[in-house]
Amino acid sequence: PAAAAPAPAVPATPAPAKPAATPPPPAVAAPPVAPPPPPAADKATFTVKLLTPEHGELVFECPKDTFILDQTDEEEADGFSELPYACRAGSCSACTGKLISGTVDNSAGGFLSEEQRAQGFVLTCTAIPTSDCVIKTHMEEELF
């Protein structure tokens, strides 16, 4: 009997190539926090306007080397004595305000996160004006 002819060789079909793994997106680092701007050399004080819920606008001059809350102790108009505070050291949130305009050096207080600072929150007990500024007070609840 005749031997069966060998089956024709079928070329092997290459396995489909696996798509290359998509690399994960690069981690986004938080932007570096810029140092506070230096105070204007030609001004000894800056005008600070506090927007309060009960007394409206409280406006005063604050020396460029003085914490805002400390300067309010020197002011005699109604409303200054009712500004919120507790520790006076930047380690709590009782005196939290929100910077509406202008600039402050907010680096002395340790309570606020970088994200909260970036959102404009300041601690009036450890904020020093570096320009004329407007701050909305009584903002502790907004932090949480």
Side-chain angles (χ1 to χ4, degrees), residues 14-33:
K18 289 185 179 179
T22 304
V28 177
V33 176

Side-chain angles (χ1 to χ4, degrees), residues 122-140:
V122 299
L123 300 176
T124 59
C125 72
T126 56
I128 297 173
T130 54
S131 75
D132 294 343
C133 58
V134 178
I135 298 171
K136 185 175 181 183
T137 65
H138 297 76
M139 296 297 289
E140 181 178 28

Side-chain angles (χ1 to χ4, degrees), residues 62-86:
C62 188
K64 61 183 179 181
D65 60 353
T66 302
F67 294 132
I68 292 171
L69 188 63
D70 286 350
Q71 183 60 35
T72 65
D73 289 341
E74 305 300 319
E75 304 298 320
E76 296 181 9
D78 287 343
F80 285 105
S81 64
E82 296 173 29
L83 292 171
Y85 69 90

Side-chain angles (χ1 to χ4, degrees), residues 27-112:
V28 177
V33 176
D42 59 342
K43 287 189 79 174
T45 66
F46 293 107
T47 302
V48 176
K49 182 186 295 184
L50 301 179
L51 306 176
T52 69
E54 292 184 18
H55 294 282
E57 296 179 358
L58 300 176
V59 181
F60 59 99
E61 291 297 309
C62 188
K64 61 183 179 181
D65 60 353
T66 302
F67 294 132
I68 292 171
L69 188 63
D70 286 350
Q71 183 60 35
T72 65
D73 289 341
E74 305 300 319
E75 304 298 320
E76 296 181 9
D78 287 343
F80 285 105
S81 64
E82 296 173 29
L83 292 171
Y85 69 90
C87 73
R88 296 188 82 108
S91 59
C92 76
S93 59
C95 68
T96 300
K98 189 148 191 191
L99 189 64
I100 304 301
S101 67
T103 57
V104 299
D105 176 348
N106 197 29
S107 62
F111 183 83
L112 297 176

